[in-house]
Amino acid sequence: MPKAPLATIVKYCDKILRTAEIGDYDGAANGLQVENSGAVTRIAATVDASLATVKLAIAAKADLLIVHHGLFWSSSHPWTGKKYELLRLIVENNLAVYSSHLPLDAHPKLGNNALLCAALRLKNLKPFFESRGQKIGFQSRQKISRAELAKKLERLTGSKPKIIPGGKNVCERIGIVTGGAGAELKLAASEGVDTFITGEGPHWTFALAEELGLNVLYGGHYATETFGVKALAAELSKKFTVPWEFLDHPTGL
């Protein structure tokens, strides 16, 4: 059975994702969150680290789980109840967990934003949308009807996007930031886009989008962020010759 040292994989991930250089939310804890006994024979990838996805990883006989939303976002104690069950399962089943949030969003080849742009066939990409000290998204100048763009997004994600038709019927400057960037419509509009694709946003953004003259397509937080973990796991599989699989556990949000 092929295997690779966990430390070598982690070092490679940290390097290509620029983990130490990319700013993020205080609780994100990017990088290796839980180590195992030291070797990796099978990689699993999923969007969220949770009790359910850990169980899926164990069933898949993975010993490294790659996630976008990690285990730690706030105070993570006491280790009781379901939290204890989660940690016990991770440790008892020798499962390492590696998390990459904004570093994976921002990556120019493996990132959620770059890959969604590529899948939508948006070209001439330029950095867009500053978050925590760096641009994490991309924008493109391209004419396409709002309706056709929504159809393309639905085909890619498998879920119908929620549309706020605040702008013109024909989009000309499109910005993409996957996940939960809907609360930042003013920032998106200030960078000149007339259409903003992200995962989700608050109720009050409907009125704001109309005031800004901005088309907004909410493609789903989960649905827009499956791209990066798949690409990272595939990259690791190719480099270290260990198998990988994607564990789909959609939230519908």
Side-chain angles (χ1 to χ4, degrees), residues 16 25 76 81 94 96 98 105 117 124 127 171 178 193 206-207 211 218 243:
I16 63 171
Y25 296 85
S76 58
N94 193 40
Y98 186 95
D105 280 329
C117 285
N124 302 314
C171 312
T178 62
V193 300
F206 189 94
E211 293 169 10
Y218 287 141

Side-chain angles (χ1 to χ4, degrees), residues 24-249:
D24 208 328
Y25 296 85
D26 290 340
N30 291 307
L32 185 65
Q33 295 192 334
V34 182
E35 63 182 327
N36 66 7
S37 61
V40 173
T41 60
R42 188 172 187 84
I43 299 171
T46 196
V47 175
D48 304 297
S50 68
L51 181 58
T53 57
V54 163
K55 287 180 178 179
L56 289 174
I58 293 168
K61 301 188 184 306
D63 38 32
L64 172 59
L65 180 61
I66 301 291
V67 299
H68 184 51
H69 301 132
L71 293 163
F72 311 110
W73 291 95
S74 59
S75 174
S76 58
H77 55 78
W79 293 358
T80 60
K82 290 298 180 181
K83 176 66 73 175
Y84 169 73
E85 183 182 353
L86 170 63
L87 295 170
R88 177 178 60 79
L89 284 172
I90 289 172
V91 173
E92 287 183 354
N93 289 277
N94 193 40
L95 181 64
V97 179
Y98 186 95
S99 177
S100 187
H101 187 233
L102 292 190
L104 188 55
D105 280 329
H107 196 277
K109 292 183 179 179
L110 303 176
N112 288 310
N113 296 309
L115 290 169
L116 183 54
C117 285
L120 289 169
R121 297 188 178 181
L122 299 180
K123 300 177 180 178
N124 302 314
L125 302 181
K126 293 184 178 179
F128 166 70
F129 198 91
E130 184 162 328
S131 178
R132 297 320 194 261
Q134 65 274 313
K135 303 274 189 178
I136 63 170
F138 296 95
Q139 62 169 297
S140 169
R141 290 183 181 271
Q142 189 166 325
K143 285 190 176 183
I144 181 173
S145 74
R146 183 177 60 220
E148 178 57 28
L149 184 60
K151 287 180 182 177
K152 290 177 73 172
L153 183 59
E154 181 177 357
R155 286 195 294 267
L156 287 171
T157 63
S159 61
K160 191 171 184 177
K162 293 178 173 62
I163 303 170
I164 306 177
K168 297 178 180 179
N169 290 332
V170 176
C171 312
E172 296 187 14
R173 194 165 168 183
I174 303 163
I176 289 186
V177 178
T178 62
E184 302 293 342
L185 298 191
K186 285 186 178 180
L187 173 58
S190 74
E191 295 193 36
V193 300
D194 57 45
T195 302
F196 184 43
I197 298 175
T198 187
E200 62 172 331
H203 174 80
W204 51 262
T205 58
F206 189 94
L208 179 59
E210 290 182 322
E211 293 169 10
L212 294 170
L214 184 68
N215 290 316
V216 180
L217 279 66
Y218 287 141
H221 197 137
Y222 178 92
T224 60
E225 296 201 316
T226 62
F227 301 91
V229 289
K230 290 178 181 177
L232 178 57
E235 169 71 14
L236 296 176
S237 176
K238 181 180 178 180
K239 182 168 181 63
F240 296 100
T241 323
V242 291
W244 79 280
E245 67 177 288
F246 177 65
L247 307 176
D248 196 17
H249 188 65

